[in-house]
Amino acid sequence: MGWEENVRRVVPYTAGEQPRKPGIIKLNTNECPYPPAPGVERMAARMDCSALRLYPDPDSTVLVKALAEAYHVKQEQIFVGVGSDDVLSMAFMTFFNSGRPVLFPDVTYSFYDVWAEVHRIPYKICPLDENWHIRPEDYRQPNGGVVFPNPNAPTGLAESLETVEEIIRANQDVVVIVDEAYVDFGGVSAMGLLEKYDNLLVVQTFSKSRSMAGMRIGFCMGSEKLIRYLNDVKFSFNSYTMNLPSQLLGAEALQDEAYFKEITGRIIATRERVKGELKKLGFLFPDSGANFIFATHPSIPAKQMFRALRQAGIYVRHWDKPRISEYLRITVGTDEQMDLLLSFLREYVALQPG
Ligand code: PMP
């Protein structure tokens, strides 16, 4: 064995495929089908590349300031990272150190257990109820912290602010992280609770609703104290996490609220229309408040459907995991993309025996 005995061994998170084939319909990683705000493209086109000679601002001040203005909080209440994955990983490391298990739902974002493992944090999963809802009473047991997405992934179900607050209220001696990667598609943010709870961290991302997954921009909002602790850990790892283009283009994206409202509104409208069409085809799904639909068909195996869709150049996500192996997570794309998906499914469903 030798040196291998002392390796930090982990089973890594499996990200969705990023096929680069032309002409495919990519509905597998919850990206936005529309381009970023027009101002972002304009700024990128005239970016001064000589500035890349220098290290970027370690505090990402331009972006933090723009976020503080957009979300009406103090700059000291904002922490930014390389995607919300980076923010979440830092938060796990910073706040979940009690030795007691961190609680999160099952089914949920499959990165939480990976971060818990890599950071050596004990954890306990709390199964969702039979309708895929979080059971707030599960979060009344002794724990070392709480994390959950709202809306949840991959179910898409949003919990009410009352449920979210009930969980926070019961856990004021630990840090509670609400992962709001999908909140802009109709969920209610826990941001409004920040004044009341200094142990609450609300995490969001530019990857979905701001159409900038390729820039890797995530952020969180919390009490000044929480943010100070996060920064201390971040600056103990790497001062320059966020590159200059991400800082500048991220800040620019926040200037165009009308565009943001327009594209999120469009995705919501498409989602609602697709829900109706899927229902007609016999699909069942929790009522998504996100930019994806988590659907099952009572008489067609999901894996078989996943493969057939892939064969046809339509990429969705499937997990061979307990409880969810009969579901497909379908990102909401443009109306045209969804029409192609639906016409494929119409034919496919009609061809099934029985
Ligand atoms: N949280 C949830 C629930 C997600 O589904 C994702 C996307 N995979 C993320 C966080 C991370 O997104 P990003 O790092 O692109 O901000």
Side-chain angles (χ1 to χ4, degrees):
M1 276 293 265
W3 58 266
E4 279 195 279
E5 277 176 51
N6 300 314
V7 169
R8 182 174 291 245
R9 290 181 190 224
V10 281
V11 180
Y13 171 74
T14 317
E17 286 182 84
Q18 293 295 338
R20 299 291 172 195
K21 295 181 221 159
I24 64 159
I25 299 179
K26 194 172 176 306
L27 307 175
N28 69 333
T29 48
N30 297 341
E31 289 133 335
C32 179
Y34 304 110
V40 171
E41 190 170 342
R42 281 197 295 273
M43 181 178 266
R46 49 161 218 267
M47 195 167 296
D48 172 16
C49 285
S50 69
L52 298 178
R53 190 172 62 76
L54 303 174
Y55 284 107
D57 172 11
D59 298 310
S60 303
T61 313
V62 172
L63 179 60
V64 167
K65 218 171 152 186
L67 280 163
E69 276 164 21
Y71 290 93
H72 310 293
V73 293
K74 292 190 205 160
Q75 287 183 51
E76 292 77 15
Q77 289 184 272
I78 296 205
F79 174 82
V80 296
V82 184
S84 54
D85 281 342
D86 181 43
V87 175
L88 286 160
S89 175
M90 285 283 154
F92 270 55
M93 191 163 29
T94 309
F95 301 119
F96 296 161
N97 291 298
S98 67
R100 284 187 294 278
V102 166
L103 306 180
F104 49 83
D106 180 36
V107 177
T108 197
Y109 185 30
S110 53
F111 222 141
Y112 298 157
D113 57 349
V114 176
W115 286 316
E117 297 281 352
V118 76
H119 296 309
R120 304 288 188 259
I121 300 163
Y123 62 94
K124 189 169 173 192
I125 53 178
C126 305
L128 299 174
D129 74 12
E130 63 283 6
N131 299 314
W132 303 107
H133 276 289
I134 288 176
R135 286 189 287 227
E137 61 273 22
D138 289 347
Y139 297 83
R140 292 186 177 280
Q141 55 185 311
N143 67 69
V146 174
V147 55
F148 59 93
N150 193 38
N152 197 5
T155 64
L157 259 192
E159 299 296 343
S160 69
L161 196 56
E162 289 69 42
T163 299
V164 172
E165 183 165 11
E166 187 181 341
I167 294 171
I168 301 165
R169 202 184 301 116
N171 288 286
Q172 296 185 57
D173 290 336
V174 295
V175 172
V176 177
I177 302 176
V178 185
D179 175 356
E180 297 188 337
Y182 302 104
V183 76
D184 297 324
F185 303 102
V188 181
S189 175
M191 263 197 69
L193 300 173
L194 287 174
E195 296 232 329
K196 221 159 142 187
Y197 301 98
D198 70 354
N199 62 320
L200 166 64
L201 201 65
V202 176
V203 182
Q204 295 192 7
T205 178
F206 282 48
S207 297
K208 327 291 180 176
S209 55
R210 297 197 186 268
S211 209
M212 293 177 82
M215 289 313 296
R216 309 302 296 123
I217 305 171
F219 64 102
C220 66
M221 296 170 278
S223 61
E224 292 181 50
K225 217 182 206 177
L226 281 185
I227 300 304
R228 262 201 310 275
Y229 281 126
L230 264 176
N231 271 315
D232 285 346
V233 170
K234 172 231 148 113
F235 284 113
S236 307
F237 271 81
N238 181 351
S239 316
Y240 307 108
T241 46
M242 187 173 282
N243 65 61
L244 177 66
S246 294
Q247 295 183 23
L248 298 178
L249 299 177
E252 180 61 31
L254 292 167
Q255 307 312 313
D256 198 340
E257 185 71 12
Y259 182 80
F260 170 69
K261 291 237 166 75
E262 185 196 323
I263 62 169
T264 49
R266 247 195 262 172
I267 288 164
I268 292 168
T270 306
R271 177 189 72 206
E272 295 307 309
R273 182 176 72 85
V274 173
K275 281 181 189 172
E277 296 300 318
L278 287 175
K279 233 177 243 166
K280 284 187 212 158
L281 293 173
F283 284 90
L284 304 169
F285 43 86
D287 192 21
S288 172
N291 67 336
F292 53 85
I293 300 170
F294 192 54
T296 185
H297 197 285
S299 58
I300 311 174
K303 200 167 181 177
Q304 175 195 314
M305 201 156 29
F306 168 76
R307 289 196 177 129
L309 281 162
R310 202 166 180 282
Q311 195 80 36
I314 304 174
Y315 286 67
V316 300
R317 193 94 196 258
H318 173 257
W319 288 272
D320 254 327
K321 280 190 178 176
R323 245 186 124 177
I324 60 170
S325 60
E326 283 310 324
Y327 282 78
L328 297 178
R329 192 196 65 189
I330 306 167
T331 303
V332 177
T334 60
D335 276 313
E336 297 71 31
Q337 290 177 317
M338 300 319 273
D339 283 340
L340 289 165
L341 168 89
L342 288 166
S343 62
F344 177 88
L345 289 176
R346 264 178 221 116
E347 268 184 48
Y348 189 72
V349 169
L351 282 174
Q352 297 309 306

